[in-house]
Amino acid sequence: MADADEAAIHLPSSNDSGMQIETDLSDETQDFRFLNFLSDNSQSSLPKRGEKDFEPNPTLHQADILSASRQAMHNALSYPRLHNPKNVIIGVYAPDGPTPPASAKTTEPAESKKPDTDATATADAEPEFSKKPAGTGMMGVSADACVYVSNPKGQFFRTMGQADRWNRVWLLPEEALYLIERGSLDIRWPVWMTGPAGEVGNEEVGIPMSLQAAYSCFIGRDGLTLERYSVYTGLKRLGYTMLRAASWDEHGDGMEGDSTESEGSQVQKPQGPGLAGIFGRFLEWLSDSSSTGSTATGPLAGVGIHRSYNDIYRRLAIVPWYDPVNPQTPRTPTTPPFRIAFSVYKPSTPFRKTAPPTPDFRIAVVDARRQTTIPTVSQLGALLESTPLDPPQGPKMEKQLYMRLRHGYRNVILAVFDQGVVSYLRVADAAFGKEKIYGDKGAPRGPKNGGYRPKPKR
């Protein structure tokens, strides 16, 4: 038994019952001494956790155990992460964006440097729509790419990166940071910045880039913020495929949907002049049960001929409602942060980098520290109008009213980042006016003759 004079330990006294009741067991210091076995190469599996003393006592023995446990935790966190030489993937950081390899520059023929008058004339006569879209580099990859991999291999490159004509895969900042963070990519500095430190194929590379340097280089580059990267890496770990949306750049107009007019708009033919035209308008007014022209001076239901209750219900709908299929106002540009940032695909969706399908979700990232108020109706309207029309379709949608209203004709997911915690909110543009409750003829409910009938026992 330890002596009483031995104890000069800064631990709570065992006699303080109130302190022991308020202390949560999950908040107490864990025994991490089992992590010392991770440095042993003979261990093929993770060891089991050590035993924990739930009763603190003022002895040097327990203080030494706690100190050794903390030291084991620090040693495990400081242990270097090594790459298997057979599966190592090396990427090179290109701070200036996509550029041709050095071998392609040196082997360029001399006649290509001479000005070609025919090519110049052809380029002058080339129409504007044949030029590459904005955001695409001269080698067919995104201008925001900053890391290239000469020997791509593995399952990650099926949905990440863009290949150029020299079979190099260029990665965007969030893609490169995600791979180096999980230990699947070894990024090297360019030779002109640090000097040669090795070779990858026939190309010299610099020293390895640390994770801290990767965060410094990639976060804040080409619109990549810490909030956007947190959403990207969180969904990427869950198996989703993430692509940058067309409205990624905050300096653009943020339009993603097509600007074609609705095909459902109909133009009424004017009536002919004379008595026949006036009489035709009068007959059309009497037979048209959806007309509300007579409600201003007569009864609310009108003075026309009502052949069913549905005609009366349509006459009572005097409040105008918004139709997302046929918008009456022109589109308004979106404003950050209410702008689509990512196009998300489910893990079960067949995906090809050369021909991406229609995304399953569209996400806008919002920082709760900067955007302290809820979005206004105009901001949400502009955000929803920037997405293409996606009406509710399918056998389940046709039968269930709630599913149609929940899906809406346009929908966006807001990823709210609040100090490291991401919350997802779904916003849909539902058309309540298009759902005619009075016209829904469902199956009769209850028994035929009324009353309550108990179910027969089996």
Side-chain angles (χ1 to χ4, degrees):
M1 193 70 182
D3 233 357
D5 299 335
E6 183 186 13
I9 312 299
H10 300 284
L11 293 175
S13 176
S14 59
N15 297 327
D16 191 359
S17 59
M19 180 66 68
Q20 293 180 2
I21 294 176
E22 295 178 0
T23 303
D24 189 4
L25 296 179
S26 60
D27 296 336
E28 294 182 0
T29 306
Q30 305 293 326
D31 189 0
F32 295 102
R33 289 179 296 171
F34 69 97
L35 296 176
N36 291 325
F37 296 96
L38 293 178
S39 59
D40 189 5
N41 297 329
S42 61
Q43 293 286 340
S44 59
S45 60
L46 291 177
K48 297 181 180 180
R49 297 185 60 177
E51 296 182 359
K52 176 182 176 182
D53 293 335
F54 292 92
E55 300 254 347
N57 53 75
T59 60
L60 290 177
H61 176 68
Q62 191 178 74
D64 294 340
I65 293 177
L66 292 176
S67 178
S69 177
R70 297 190 191 97
Q71 187 62 35
M73 180 185 63
H74 289 293
N75 293 338
L77 294 176
S78 61
Y79 191 79
R81 303 180 65 177
L82 304 178
H83 296 270
N84 191 352
K86 297 182 180 179
N87 302 327
V88 64
I89 302 176
I90 298 179
V92 181
Y93 174 54
D96 298 332
T99 54
S103 59
K105 297 179 181 179
T106 56
T107 58
E108 185 180 3
E111 56 269 12
S112 62
K113 300 180 181 180
K114 298 180 181 179
D116 192 354
T117 56
D118 297 337
T120 305
T122 306
D124 295 339
E126 188 178 4
E128 294 183 359
F129 58 82
S130 64
K131 298 180 181 179
K132 294 182 179 181
T136 303
M138 61 179 179
M139 298 182 300
V141 300
S142 176
D144 298 337
C146 58
V147 174
Y148 67 89
V149 180
S150 301
N151 56 341
K153 52 185 177 181
Q155 60 179 356
F156 293 102
F157 292 96
R158 297 178 182 176
T159 58
M160 300 171 63
Q162 293 177 326
D164 59 6
R165 68 183 68 176
W166 295 280
N167 296 328
R168 300 180 304 172
V169 175
W170 288 84
L171 300 175
L172 294 172
E174 62 269 18
E175 297 174 342
L177 187 56
Y178 170 74
L179 291 178
I180 192 177
E181 190 177 30
R182 71 180 312 276
S184 302
L185 182 65
D186 182 11
I187 301 180
R188 301 298 182 92
W189 292 94
V191 179
W192 58 270
M193 295 184 67
T194 61
E199 290 186 0
V200 178
N202 297 328
E203 184 180 3
E204 293 184 348
V205 294
I207 62 176
M209 177 184 290
S210 62
L211 182 60
Q212 293 83 352
Y215 267 91
S216 301
C217 294
F218 299 147
I219 296 296
R221 179 187 176 95
D222 299 324
L224 179 62
T225 60
L226 184 61
E227 296 79 22
R228 287 182 170 181
Y229 176 71
S230 299
V231 174
Y232 176 86
T233 185
L235 295 177
K236 196 69 177 177
R237 290 192 182 101
L238 295 177
Y240 291 90
T241 300
M242 308 282 290
L243 291 181
R244 284 189 179 184
S247 56
W248 171 273
D249 190 7
E250 295 185 353
H251 302 287
D253 54 357
M255 294 296 181
E256 277 201 346
D258 50 355
S259 59
T260 58
E261 297 182 357
S262 175
E263 298 178 359
S265 59
Q266 300 178 356
V267 180
Q268 298 181 356
K269 297 181 179 180
Q271 296 290 338
L275 184 60
I278 297 176
F279 186 70
R281 290 184 182 180
F282 177 72
L283 292 179
E284 182 182 357
W285 176 77
L286 287 178
S287 60
D288 188 8
S289 60
S290 62
S291 177
T292 58
S294 61
T295 58
T297 57
L300 187 61
V303 294
I305 300 175
H306 307 294
R307 303 183 183 275
S308 63
Y309 284 104
N310 293 345
D311 298 340
I312 300 177
Y313 289 135
R314 279 192 288 266
R315 287 292 189 94
L316 295 177
I318 60 177
V319 178
W321 49 274
Y322 170 72
D323 188 2
V325 180
N326 301 319
Q328 302 296 330
T329 57
R331 292 182 179 178
T332 56
T334 57
T335 56
F338 302 104
R339 180 170 292 177
I340 305 298
F342 293 107
S343 299
V344 186
Y345 302 87
K346 296 179 181 179
S348 58
T349 302
F351 181 82
R352 292 178 58 188
K353 292 193 298 184
T354 56
T358 303
D360 298 319
F361 309 102
R362 295 174 176 88
I363 293 182
V365 182
V366 181
D367 186 8
R369 298 184 63 184
R370 299 179 181 178
Q371 184 69 29
T372 57
T373 59
I374 61 175
T376 61
V377 177
S378 59
Q379 289 175 335
L380 289 179
L383 176 62
L384 290 171
E385 289 178 358
S386 65
T387 61
L389 192 65
D390 184 20
Q393 298 176 354
K396 294 184 178 180
M397 296 286 185
E398 296 177 357
K399 296 180 181 180
Q400 299 185 13
L401 172 64
Y402 176 74
M403 291 187 65
R404 294 196 299 269
L405 295 176
R406 182 178 180 273
H407 182 273
Y409 286 78
R410 291 182 174 89
N411 52 81
V412 176
I413 295 180
L414 297 179
V416 183
F417 181 87
D418 187 6
Q419 297 183 2
V421 180
V422 183
S423 303
Y424 296 95
L425 305 176
R426 190 176 185 274
V427 181
D429 191 2
F432 289 90
K434 295 178 72 67
E435 303 296 339
K436 308 300 182 182
I437 306 297
Y438 54 84
D440 187 10
K441 297 180 180 181
R445 300 179 180 178
K448 183 177 181 180
N449 298 328
Y452 171 74
R453 293 182 181 178
K455 296 182 179 180
K457 298 182 179 180
R458 296 181 179 179

